[in-house]
């Protein structure tokens, strides 16, 4: 297997020898805000002036600055501020400063929505960007620039968009020493040592990129939180970041360590029902709002994976969350309380979040939002949606997605997560006869960020697409993953239609490929201990049963899979009756979730006519074959992509193909050993013996849990 360095060196050498190398190198820093020159024919439609309110607020200034930057890049022309519309002008309008003669459906736009319309105003042909607020104008300006970059006819605009969710957040798992838990893109972008005095220019670009998607909040520090993040020096640093982000509509939040009253305040306890503890949090909240007047609130991981929480004092999650909510309420802050919990003695880890939280429905204060991961285990390549969605009608819920690819090949594997996000958002919980998607059950979304100090921000060029897709879908959950991929490619790589089609097709194939070569047919949690990279289905020696892959796949001579039907853990009963019934029977369970819900004999007959064993092997093979195909398709795009990024992606795809084979070979070797079955006819035997895969060791930084 080639190392990363060998693969990159090979690709760079190949690229140096290639004649197309005279093109300008790009390093990915600009993300999807590149604003490269439009074809001459499209440049004619670009404006020369922009009409806006004066004096402009900081947010309106950010909008105008972005438009200027965009028009300069797209058309090589300056964009002058004007007080009256000229032909071809952009007009930024709110009800307070709408030019005479402009009548618009303001009420439909809501507080953050925008409208783009080509129209005539005072006898001139103009484009109106309208909103009820300056932040709406900023979002509208980014939308106009997106339209310009993706080839939309700028002379015939008529679009309107408002977010359904009022909180669209990033969660950074960034530690105060600048390491990042599950981060694969360098160090934390928050340079805590230099803050608050030094405000890196990158913070502004971070805010611009997020505002372009509509992300409006960011949790700065890891949910495995240190109490120090709530001390005065760190609050000053967070306040400096809040100042940078504010014009772009982004509020700062902090992860709060539940035991802070004892750790920082010297109290004897952090019991949420203790009056001194409650008073401590109220004082702390007042201190925070003094330096960050628009502070968003706290994110809390409590009584999960060793973190402190209310259960340490015999209290429940609602007691803990409500205490914090009480402290934040006078200031308008919220508590995002995570439902990611599991204890060592549970018979089925997947059932535990529901078991602990469902009985608390309706018991949370109004400014508490319970934050639930998309699935009940932990960001696996495929999980059914978490049964808490739809099960807590009296509690606001946030959907937590993981943008960083902890279980999907880190940053070296090309895995576009748009289809996975779409799968969860559009999953029908069946809690209402007419249907009720997961998206309809939530009031907020949180994405675990994949951003770091790497020049390309996300550790790989294609991982930028996952940040992009998360933000776009948090704004509009009805977007299709393919459409989002298309606009990302057009802004990030090229607008040439055949190349765009080819890259979008690669992206759309990539997630299913990863499921196939890692955990097909509903298998889950087969990865290496701690670091979570690569296959280790044989692991059975960890201190907690539910950290071991063998706990999850239960493979033996007689079959494979986790029985969550009524004959097993009965976790299916946590879903609405219609789904519970569907998932209880292997015949009506979707095949891509079969072994999540059922333990079946190896000769179980699949829809393809193959046995389960033969189907499993064929899925592993299909995954590897698809990655090989991605590599070939990317190689054929060499003339369409700037050389630096083409070479870097090619090098990463080489790593991905080698690691897909590793996953496939190690898993096939292991499952063959436990099943005792011969390989299906014509199937390639694993390259190495099972023992060789088992002894591979990696010295990555240790992670938590299994
Ligand atoms: C922040 C998984 C990850 C942990 C992470 C945890 C969580 O267990 O492996 O690194 O911790 O999820 O979401 O809290």
């Amino acid at each position: 297997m080639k190392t990363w360095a060998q693969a990159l060196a090979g690709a760079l050498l190949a690229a140096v020898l290639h004649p197309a190398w005279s093109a300008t190198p790009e390093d990915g820093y600009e993300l999807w805000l590149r604003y490269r020159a439009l074809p001459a024919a499209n440049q004619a439609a670009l404006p020369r002036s922009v009409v806006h309110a004066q004096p402009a607020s900081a947010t309106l200034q950010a909008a105008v600055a972005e438009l200027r930057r965009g028009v300069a890049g797209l058309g090589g022309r300056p964009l002058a501020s004007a007080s009256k519309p000229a032909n071809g002008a952009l007009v930024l309008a709110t009800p307070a400063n709408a030019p005479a003669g402009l009548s618009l459906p303001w009420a439909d736009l809501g507080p953050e929505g925008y409208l783009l319309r080509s129209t005539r105003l005072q006898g001139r042909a103009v484009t109106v960007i309208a909103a009820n607020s300056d932040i709406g104008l900023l979002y509208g300006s980014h939308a106009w620039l997106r339209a310009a970059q993706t080839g939309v006819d700028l002379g015939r605009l008529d679009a309107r968009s408002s977010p359904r969710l009022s909180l669209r957040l990033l969660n950074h798992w960034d530690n105060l020493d600048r390491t990042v838990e599950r981060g694969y893109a360098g160090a934390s972008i928050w340079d805590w040592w230099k803050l608050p005095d030094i405000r890196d220019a990158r913070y502004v670009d971070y805010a611009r990129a997020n505002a372009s998607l509509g992300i409006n909040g960011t949790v700065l520090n890891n949910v495995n939180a240190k109490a120090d993040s709530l001390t005065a020096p760190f609050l000053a640093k967070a306040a400096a970041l809040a100042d940078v982000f504010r014009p772009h509509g982004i509020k700062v939040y902090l992860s709060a360590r539940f035991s802070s009253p004892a750790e920082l305040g010297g109290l004897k306890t952090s019991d949420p029902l203790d009056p001194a503890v409650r008073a401590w949090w109220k004082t702390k909240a007042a201190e925070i709002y003094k330096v960050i007047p628009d502070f968003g609130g706290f994110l809390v991981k409590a009584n999960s994976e060793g973190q402190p929480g209310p259960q340490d004092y015999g209290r429940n999650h609602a007691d803990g969350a409500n205490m914090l909510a009480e402290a934040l309420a006078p200031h308008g802050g919220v508590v995002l309380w995570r439902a990611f919990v599991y204890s060592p003695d549970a018979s089925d880890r997947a059932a535990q979040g529901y078991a602990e939280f469902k009985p608390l429905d309706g018991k949370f204060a109004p400014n508490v939002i319970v934050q639930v991961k998309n699935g009940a285990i932990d960001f696996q390549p495929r999980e059914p949606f978490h049964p808490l969605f739809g099960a807590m009608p009296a509690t606001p819920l946030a959907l937590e997605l993981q943008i960083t690819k902890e279980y999907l090949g880190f940053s070296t594997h090309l895995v576009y997560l748009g289809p996975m996000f779409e799968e969860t958002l559009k999953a029908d919980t069946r809690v209402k006869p007419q249907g009720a998607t997961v998206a309809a059950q939530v009031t907020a979304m949180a994405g675990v960020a994949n951003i770091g100090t790497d020049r390309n921000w996300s550790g790989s060029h294609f991982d930028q697409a996952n940040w992009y897709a998360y933000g776009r879908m948090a704004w509009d959950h009805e977007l299709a993953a393919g459409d989002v991929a298309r606009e990302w490619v057009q802004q990030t790589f090229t607008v040439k239609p055949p190349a765009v089609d080819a890259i979008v097709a690669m992206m759309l194939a990539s997630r299913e490929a990863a499921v196939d070569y890692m955990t097909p047919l509903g298998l889950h949690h087969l990865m290496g201990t701690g670091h979570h990279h690569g296959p280790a289905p044989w692991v059975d020696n960890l201190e907690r049963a539910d950290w071991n892959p063998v706990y999850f796949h239960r493979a033996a001579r007689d079959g494979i899979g986790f029985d969550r039907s009524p004959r097993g853990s009965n976790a299916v009963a946590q879903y609405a009756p219609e789904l519970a019934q569907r998932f209880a029977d292997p015949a009506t369970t979707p095949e891509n979730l079969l072994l999540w819900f059922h333990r079946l004999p190896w000769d179980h007959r699949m829809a393809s006519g193959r046995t389960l064993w033969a189907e499993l092997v064929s899925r592993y093979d299909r995954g590897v074959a698809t990655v090989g195909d991605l590599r070939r398709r990317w190689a054929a795009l060499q003339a369409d992509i700037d050389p630096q990024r083409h070479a870097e992606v090619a090098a990463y795809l080489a790593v991905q193909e080698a690691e897909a084979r590793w996953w496939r070979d190690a898993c096939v070797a292991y499952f063959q050993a436990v099943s005792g079955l011969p390989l299906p006819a014509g199937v390639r035997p694993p390259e190495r013996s099972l023992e060789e895969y088992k002894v591979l060791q990696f010295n990555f930084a240790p992670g938590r849990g299994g």
Side-chain angles (χ1 to χ4, degrees):
M1 181 181 319
K2 266 191 191 171
T3 65
W4 181 92
Q6 284 166 334
L8 182 61
L12 287 172
L13 181 66
V16 166
L17 299 174
H18 194 273
W21 270 66
S22 55
T24 321
E26 295 208 40
D27 60 14
Y29 181 83
E30 295 165 290
L31 296 162
W32 46 90
L33 305 174
R34 286 163 63 251
Y35 308 131
R36 291 292 180 273
L38 294 177
N42 298 11
Q43 290 192 10
L46 292 172
R48 292 184 187 280
S49 62
V50 55
V51 180
H52 59 85
Q54 297 279 12
S57 68
T59 297
L60 191 50
Q61 284 176 34
V64 172
E66 197 68 35
L67 290 168
R68 287 212 171 101
R69 180 197 286 257
V71 171
L74 295 165
R77 59 171 68 159
L79 184 68
S81 287
S83 54
K84 289 215 171 89
N87 260 334
L90 276 178
V91 178
L92 305 190
T94 60
N97 79 317
L102 193 64
S103 146
L104 294 173
W106 300 105
D108 299 346
L109 301 181
E112 295 179 292
Y114 60 81
L115 169 149
L116 308 180
R117 184 177 287 175
S118 310
T119 187
R120 290 196 77 77
L121 188 63
Q122 299 165 15
R124 316 274 184 220
V126 300
T127 299
V128 172
I129 301 178
N132 285 313
S133 60
D134 285 352
I135 190 62
L137 291 181
L138 178 63
Y139 293 147
S141 301
H142 278 294
W144 182 85
L145 286 162
R146 185 161 55 239
Q149 290 197 87
T150 55
V152 174
D153 183 346
L154 297 179
R156 290 163 187 270
L157 286 175
D158 190 9
R160 189 194 298 182
S161 187
S162 307
R164 197 183 65 78
L165 306 180
S166 55
L167 297 186
R168 307 172 296 277
L169 313 179
L170 282 182
N171 288 183
H172 287 264
W173 286 357
D174 292 20
N175 298 313
L176 306 185
D177 63 2
R178 294 194 78 185
T179 55
V180 180
E181 181 149 348
R182 312 306 180 184
Y184 315 104
S188 166
I189 59 167
W190 319 132
D191 193 342
W192 296 115
W193 283 109
K194 293 187 186 145
L195 283 164
D197 304 311
I198 305 299
R199 300 173 179 199
D200 193 320
R202 212 175 231 246
Y203 304 151
V204 177
D205 291 331
Y206 167 91
R208 290 174 49 234
N210 282 316
S212 77
L213 307 173
I215 288 170
N216 66 357
T218 183
V219 183
L220 300 177
N221 60 318
N222 192 353
V223 287
N224 293 326
K226 287 255 188 279
D228 308 57
S229 65
L230 298 181
T231 58
F234 272 100
L235 292 178
K237 296 167 196 285
L241 290 172
D243 289 345
V244 176
F245 301 159
R246 192 167 294 114
H248 301 269
I250 298 165
K251 284 187 183 177
V252 155
Y253 296 67
L254 289 171
S255 293
R257 185 162 169 86
F258 198 78
S259 50
S260 296
E263 287 185 47
L264 295 181
L267 302 191
K268 286 208 180 63
T269 176
S270 293
D271 180 347
L273 299 193
D274 184 296
V277 171
R278 299 178 89 89
W280 187 89
W281 280 109
K282 284 184 186 163
T283 306
K284 183 53 73 181
E287 181 190 345
I288 295 174
Y289 279 92
K290 218 167 178 180
V291 291
I292 312 176
D294 54 354
F295 179 65
F298 293 137
L299 172 64
V300 186
K301 171 174 175 178
N303 294 120
S304 164
E305 298 186 330
Q307 295 300 308
Q311 292 172 350
D312 303 349
Y313 311 95
R315 317 298 182 195
N316 65 31
H317 290 288
D319 296 327
N322 293 347
M323 169 195 62
L324 295 175
E326 178 186 68
L328 295 173
H331 312 279
V334 300
V335 176
L336 293 144
W337 189 271
R338 296 175 88 227
F340 175 66
V341 292
Y342 58 99
S343 79
D345 37 350
S347 60
D348 179 0
R349 174 169 155 183
Q352 198 163 348
Y354 179 102
E356 273 190 41
F357 278 84
K358 166 78 180 155
L360 299 176
D361 188 27
K363 304 231 161 66
F364 290 95
N367 57 332
V368 174
I369 301 173
V370 172
Q371 184 163 309
V372 183
K373 289 188 181 184
N374 61 296
I377 295 291
D378 193 13
F379 301 134
Q380 297 299 296
R382 169 167 278 121
E383 299 193 30
F385 71 84
H386 200 301
L388 277 173
F389 295 114
M392 297 189 67
T395 307
L397 298 182
L399 165 63
E400 181 177 315
L401 297 168
Q402 195 181 47
I403 309 170
T404 191
K405 304 204 313 298
E406 174 181 355
Y407 298 101
L408 285 132
F410 295 8
S411 54
T412 35
H413 292 208
L414 192 173
V415 182
Y416 171 52
L417 299 178
M420 179 159 133
F421 298 161
E422 183 177 1
E423 187 172 293
T424 301
L425 286 164
K426 294 184 180 167
D428 190 347
T429 61
R430 301 306 302 158
V431 291
K432 292 191 183 140
Q434 72 275 26
T437 62
V438 167
Q441 314 301 314
V442 303
T443 60
M445 268 172 72
V448 180
N450 65 351
I451 297 161
T453 48
D454 276 9
R455 187 69 193 154
N456 66 25
W457 297 86
S458 301
S460 80
H461 297 295
F462 273 94
D463 277 335
Q464 296 178 355
N466 295 329
W467 175 9
Y468 185 89
Y470 166 74
R472 294 284 288 131
M473 291 183 179
W475 176 278
D476 181 356
H477 59 263
E478 282 174 1
L479 289 174
D483 295 340
V484 173
R486 179 165 298 275
E487 62 181 46
W488 176 78
V489 172
Q490 288 170 322
Q491 294 168 93
T492 305
F493 279 123
T494 174
V495 289
K496 284 189 210 155
V500 172
D501 289 347
I503 300 170
V504 170
M506 287 176 63
M507 292 168 74
L508 291 180
S510 63
R511 186 277 183 129
E512 210 55 48
V515 171
D516 280 344
Y517 66 71
M518 291 180 177
T519 49
L521 298 174
L523 288 174
H524 47 289
H525 209 289
L526 303 186
M527 69 290 158
T529 303
H531 50 71
H532 294 173
H533 190 69
W538 46 81
V539 171
D540 66 354
N541 60 354
L542 301 179
E543 62 187 276
R544 287 180 56 153
D546 61 357
W547 283 349
N548 286 306
V550 295
Y551 167 96
F552 294 97
H553 63 67
R554 304 190 172 206
R557 276 276 140 156
D558 61 335
I560 179 170
F562 198 121
D563 187 355
R564 296 191 166 105
S565 77
R567 295 164 296 285
S569 75
N570 201 24
V572 294
Q574 296 182 340
Y575 288 96
E578 190 184 327
L579 284 186
Q581 208 182 350
R582 198 182 300 163
F583 293 152
D585 182 351
T588 50
T589 301
E591 275 198 346
N592 61 16
L593 292 173
L594 194 62
L595 303 179
W596 182 283
F597 287 116
H598 301 284
R599 189 163 189 286
L600 296 168
W602 293 103
D603 61 0
H604 174 82
R605 201 50 67 184
M606 304 293 287
S608 61
R610 298 186 187 101
T611 63
L612 171 56
W613 167 236
E615 184 70 27
L616 187 69
V617 175
S618 87
R619 297 280 174 125
Y620 273 113
D621 279 332
R622 189 173 76 178
V624 175
T626 304
V627 180
D629 199 38
L630 295 185
R631 262 187 97 179
R632 281 185 291 280
R633 289 198 255 171
W634 184 254
L637 288 164
Q638 190 161 18
D640 298 296
I641 307 294
D642 48 281
Q644 181 168 338
R645 290 189 298 170
H646 188 273
E648 286 174 9
V649 172
Y652 279 34
L653 283 169
V655 173
Q656 185 176 4
E657 189 177 22
E659 294 188 348
R661 287 170 80 93
W662 169 34
W663 263 98
R664 178 266 182 206
D665 285 357
C667 290
V668 168
Y670 172 75
F671 290 130
Q672 190 186 6
V674 290
S675 68
L677 292 168
L679 283 178
V683 162
R684 173 178 69 76
E687 261 162 40
R688 304 187 192 186
S689 73
L690 178 56
E691 289 317 307
E692 285 176 271
Y693 292 115
K694 283 188 178 178
V695 297
L696 292 175
Q697 292 290 327
F698 306 94
N699 296 320
F700 299 137
R704 266 155 235 274

